[in-house]
Amino acid sequence: FVSPKLRKKNQSSTVATLPAMAAAAAQRLLASSTKIVGAGRNYISHAKDLGNPVLKEPVLFLKPTSSFLHAGPTAGPIEVPEPLESLHHEVELAVVISRRARDVPEASAMDFVGGYALALDMSSNDLQSASKSAGLPWTLGKVQDTFTPISAVVPKSAIANPYDLELWLKVDGELRQKGLTSDMIFKIPFLISYISSIMTLMEGDVILTGTPPDGVGPVRVGQKINAGITDLIDVEFDVERRKRSFSY
Amino acid sequence: MLLVVYHLQSRSRPIPSSQVAALPAMAAAAQRLLAASTKIVGVGRNYVAHAKELGNPVPKEPVLFLKPTSSFLHAGVATAAVEVPEPLESLHHEVELAVVISRRARDVPEASAMDFVGGYALALDMTARDLQSVAKSTGLPWTLAKAQDTFTPISAVVPKSAVPNPDDLELWLKVDDELRQKGPTSDMIFKVPFLISYISSIMTLMEGDVILTGTPEGVGPVRIGQKIKAGITGLIEAEFDVQRRSRTFSP
């Protein structure tokens, strides 16, 4: 077990000092992922009035595994497709499922957690607004390649209390988002129970548990994102223009 | 073993399921494709008459939505069952031509798109229509309406070589032996090569990924206790029961 006070610039070297078996097993989980389930509007806002009604149930959306962008020394950039000039960043705690979960009661839900990660739910606000007003799916605004940057997976044993974490995100060194997971509205056991009552969760499936809404904003081509869970994980991603390339 | 009525266009009679194991190697390869699937991409409103029957405008670009692979319901020897979750009493059936991708596809030009097709299948995009209407009017995702377990019944995969022209097929669907949907794939607004090109410009398609290419008019409810039969005329057919979903937690 590694002291939570340990800090490293490169998150992958932090993970490597955790007990080897647990860390390697957690990483393999992500490789078998079959889907990403996002929970929208899942944080209390401390701003005056964002105008969104209080939800009775989580808002669920899907992102494909093709949208993953894995952090690391050889990671590519977040790609902004033409004609967009920016994307919105949303820093989130990701939960990685350890085994098949269907109709899981809340009381047993944490048995199905294999690990956690720091993820960004990159979104195109323009595309998403257009979709919402037309009553269309959120797809184009959320599912594109590189729209789910994600850190290495931290084994469940490394996080005693997932509601005692601080999420943060900077753009070009300027702090944009900072929030506490204690502000999560629908907590992890409820999310696992609710989602697994709608669709079977498989080993490696990822739940994006929402973002602190204050500070969500645009990041432009040419900028750099740093983000993390304080004292646990750090990630860094460049934001670049997507170049289209057809390769056999 | 798969319960499948499988008719190569060069044959005059369908192949009985007992001979499926003797089919050429390429048929087995087509089946293995589906096992590798990472996502299902649905194309909404891709037949003019269907767009109109739901009061929707005809789109300028394909309307895309995602269904997870956990929603697959594979046709089989024992009749597979679509599960209707409480408190719903019915689901809408939508019979579709499914395209199965053969290999990784990204930014594929239309002219090369058919090189990325591994096979075809008959699929149903089961939809909780009321939930979808609520989602549309409130600007929410279509997840509850489309993504639940068993909401993507699918037949065995027919290798591409058995389908010279995917624009020349007839889709049909019956509920309790009453014909509900029948339409030619030639009525598709956005054709298969365009769909592969368009989708692969938004997200990389992987081997085994499935594109549901839309449904002709005639969508409607199927209730618990009814039986769906559907197929591609002269090629493949499949059968599914519709049952109440019973919740079972097995740790």
Side-chain angles (χ1 to χ4, degrees):
Chain A
F1 179 75
V2 164
S3 157
K5 294 259 187 276
L6 184 66
R7 290 173 203 252
K8 286 276 160 79
K9 267 200 188 145
N10 182 338
Q11 51 76 26
S12 60
S13 57
T14 302
V15 170
T17 57
L18 289 169
M21 257 173 53
Q27 269 319 103
R28 278 195 297 274
L29 272 184
L30 205 54
S32 19
S33 185
T34 76
K35 57 182 172 286
I36 302 161
V37 184
R41 306 190 203 152
N42 197 32
Y43 271 71
I44 297 165
S45 168
H46 298 281
K48 278 283 159 105
D49 180 12
L50 277 192
N52 278 334
V54 173
L55 294 174
K56 293 195 173 60
E57 285 178 330
V59 171
L60 300 182
F61 58 91
L62 291 172
K63 300 184 77 157
T65 53
S66 47
S67 68
F68 276 135
L69 175 65
H70 297 282
T74 55
I78 295 167
E79 297 183 344
V80 182
E82 283 181 3
L84 305 175
E85 290 303 321
S86 66
L87 297 175
H88 270 218
H89 55 76
E90 300 189 1
V91 66
E92 317 220 349
L93 176 68
V95 173
V96 187
I97 297 297
S98 59
R99 56 197 172 101
R100 186 185 173 280
R102 177 59 164 164
D103 289 330
V104 171
E106 274 189 69
S108 322
M110 294 309 286
D111 295 344
F112 292 80
V113 174
Y116 299 92
L118 188 282
L120 308 182
D121 177 20
M122 302 305 294
S123 311
S124 163
N125 230 37
D126 296 339
L127 293 178
Q128 219 183 326
S129 298
S131 294
K132 283 181 185 176
S133 56
L136 292 178
W138 289 5
T139 307
L140 292 185
K142 290 268 189 194
V143 305
Q144 306 208 32
D145 280 18
T146 76
F147 277 28
T148 316
I150 190 162
S151 73
V153 180
V154 171
K156 180 166 77 174
S157 54
I159 297 187
N161 180 6
Y163 311 108
D164 191 24
L165 304 172
E166 181 179 73
L167 305 173
W168 62 269
L169 182 144
K170 294 179 180 176
V171 173
D172 283 353
E174 175 195 319
L175 187 69
R176 294 286 192 84
Q177 287 186 272
K178 193 168 186 176
L180 299 172
T181 54
S182 50
D183 282 347
M184 215 186 278
I185 297 171
F186 297 105
K187 301 284 193 269
I188 294 165
F190 180 88
L191 289 177
I192 292 174
S193 180
Y194 179 77
I195 294 170
S196 73
S197 78
I198 291 161
M199 46 187 144
T200 300
L201 287 165
M202 306 297 184
E203 174 183 317
D205 283 359
V206 169
I207 301 174
L208 301 178
T209 60
T211 195
D214 314 316
V216 167
V219 58
R220 291 187 317 273
V221 171
Q223 296 193 302
K224 186 194 284 292
I225 293 177
N226 289 83
I229 301 175
T230 302
D231 292 334
L232 197 69
I233 299 177
D234 267 280
V235 295
E236 186 174 291
F237 295 97
D238 290 325
V239 179
E240 289 178 12
R241 164 67 67 208
R242 159 161 135 77
K243 297 187 193 44
R244 297 177 57 128
S245 56
F246 170 50
S247 53
Y248 280 94
Chain B
M1 280 265 281
L2 299 165
L3 176 66
V4 67
V5 177
Y6 178 11
H7 180 192
L8 290 172
Q9 291 206 338
S10 59
R11 296 174 62 94
S12 55
R13 285 192 315 276
I15 299 174
S17 58
S18 55
Q19 288 180 22
V20 168
L23 286 172
M26 62 175 62
Q31 269 318 104
R32 280 195 296 275
L33 272 184
L34 204 54
S37 186
T38 76
K39 58 181 170 287
I40 303 161
V41 183
V43 182
R45 304 177 203 169
N46 200 28
Y47 285 71
V48 176
H50 170 61
K52 292 192 172 149
E53 77 182 337
L54 290 188
N56 289 322
V58 176
K60 293 194 174 58
E61 280 180 330
V63 171
L64 302 182
F65 57 92
L66 289 175
K67 299 183 79 158
T69 53
S70 47
S71 69
F72 276 135
L73 176 68
H74 298 281
V77 173
T79 306
V82 172
E83 297 184 345
V84 182
E86 283 181 5
L88 306 175
E89 290 302 320
S90 65
L91 297 174
H92 268 219
H93 55 74
E94 298 191 1
V95 65
E96 318 220 349
L97 174 68
V99 174
V100 187
I101 297 296
S102 59
R103 55 199 172 101
R104 186 184 174 280
R106 177 60 163 161
D107 290 330
V108 171
E110 269 190 75
S112 322
M114 295 309 287
D115 296 343
F116 293 81
V117 174
Y120 300 91
L122 183 283
L124 308 181
D125 176 22
M126 301 306 293
T127 303
R129 193 68 72 198
D130 292 347
L131 297 181
Q132 191 189 22
S133 301
V134 169
K136 283 179 175 177
S137 61
T138 51
L140 290 180
W142 292 2
T143 314
L144 292 180
K146 293 274 190 188
Q148 306 207 34
D149 280 16
T150 75
F151 277 31
T152 315
I154 190 162
S155 72
V157 179
V158 173
K160 181 169 77 174
S161 55
V163 182
N165 185 4
D167 294 337
D168 191 24
L169 303 171
E170 179 180 75
L171 305 172
W172 62 269
L173 181 145
K174 293 179 180 176
V175 173
D176 286 352
D177 290 320
E178 176 195 317
L179 186 69
R180 295 285 193 86
Q181 290 186 273
K182 192 169 185 176
T185 56
S186 52
D187 281 354
M188 240 188 254
I189 298 170
F190 301 107
K191 303 286 192 257
V192 173
F194 179 87
L195 290 176
I196 292 172
S197 180
Y198 179 78
I199 294 169
S200 73
S201 77
I202 291 162
M203 44 188 149
T204 298
L205 287 165
M206 306 296 185
E207 174 183 321
D209 282 0
V210 170
I211 301 174
L212 301 177
T213 58
T215 194
E217 79 270 24
V219 302
V222 55
R223 292 186 318 275
I224 293 166
Q226 295 192 302
K227 186 189 281 291
I228 296 174
K229 286 186 195 161
I232 303 173
T233 302
L235 197 68
I236 194 160
E237 57 187 60
E239 192 173 291
F240 301 97
D241 287 328
V242 180
Q243 293 176 359
R244 162 67 71 209
R245 157 160 137 77
S246 40
R247 300 177 55 132
T248 51
F249 169 52
S250 52

